[in-house]
Amino acid sequence: MFQLAEIRHMVRIPPWFFGQTLNDAVIEELNRKLANKVVLNVGLCIALFDITSLGDSYIFPGDGASHTRVTFRYVVFRPFLEEILEGVIKSANADGMQVSLGFYDDVYVRKDSMMPNSHFDETDQTWVWDYQTDDDTHHLFMDVGGRIRFKVVAEQFVDTTPAGPNLAAGDSSVADRKEGKVPYIVYGAINDQGLGLVSWWTGTGEGNEEEEEEEEEEGDEAL
Amino acid sequence: MNNDDVAGRVNSKGAVLSNYEVYTLLQEVCQQGNKGKRDLTKTQAHLANIAFDTLKYLEKTPCKHQKPEAIQRFLEATKNFKLTKAEKLQLINLRPVTPVEMQLIIEESEDRLSEEQVEQLISLVEQHLPDPARRHHHHPDDQRTPTITLRPRANLHRFLSNDLFSME
């Protein structure tokens, strides 16, 4: 789920950081620049791991800052394909579900990646897996907030650097901004044995019933 | 120079890190923030946010109770199963204890492993990797260590990557 990305970058240290050692200044600058950001085709940056090489520092005419070529390794969130991950269901609609890992929210399970015999329940706004045993059909609800295990099936990077104003297209740029382009999307699937809600597969499957009972009790208390 | 502003990626292979390694690294980051002269949330808001959220996620995974020694023992013990590095990594990260979970993680496990071998693998996972549900159960070799072990980061990584990835 996490990888080390080796990156080479020219780091600009502004003069007010000259009081620190070069190492500290570079570490701070790299973390300020990259932490919690998505780098195209690299992943979501978490934290600096280490610096592998520091080049000479240069000062260019007209700029009081120093520039140093640095090679470093950064911890990035970038699950590999087929990796199994766990998260929490954040929202659901007829197209699929959104899953959150807490620090990363853009995991989508599309409707064609659900278990066979799944459907979207309009009244509850949740996805339901109709699990059939020999004599009965169990409706297994995937409620928002439930712990879910999925397999990574695809990823998608989108370049979100602002383009110049598109005069010909007129209003389309406004529409784009409203949509909010997501730089890095992970697509998950839950259509295999062991995937889906974690509680389905632990123990003897009593987890669901217990939860329902608890909910009923809470309901009674509220009344 | 064109790439002044563009971070150029040197190594596209990218070494994989286990959840445990990221967990210890982020604990160090947060600790430095607490102790250091400067408040991490003010000077490095992005780093503080992502480190805090990632730690919160990892605390709910089995890596919270793992120790490098235990991981190493587990890798030693599973040498003969001919697992890929991705499979080993996920065994450590997810700590599967049911046959269904095992089949999910190990590709084509029906062809590669017999039922007994799957059971064997499960018992090795249970033996070497501590169970998050039973926190007070300690492996006899695991002496009580402070929750945060400060060890040289680079060394730990080297040890894990050698072990995880050298024997395919």
Side-chain angles (χ1 to χ4, degrees), chain B residues 134-150:
Chain B
R134 273 180 295 156
R135 257 159 241 182
H136 303 292
H137 176 77
H138 277 279
H139 193 278
D141 290 3
D142 289 337
Q143 289 301 319
R144 242 171 207 291
T145 39
T147 39
I148 295 152
T149 43
L150 285 172

Side-chain angles (χ1 to χ4, degrees), chain A residues 89-100:
Chain A
I89 300 172
K90 198 184 175 206
S91 64
N93 61 32
D95 291 329
M97 291 188 293
Q98 187 180 5
V99 177
S100 169

Side-chain angles (χ1 to χ4, degrees), chain A residues 22 85 179 211:
Chain A
L22 181 64
L85 294 177
E179 254 177 51
E211 270 174 38

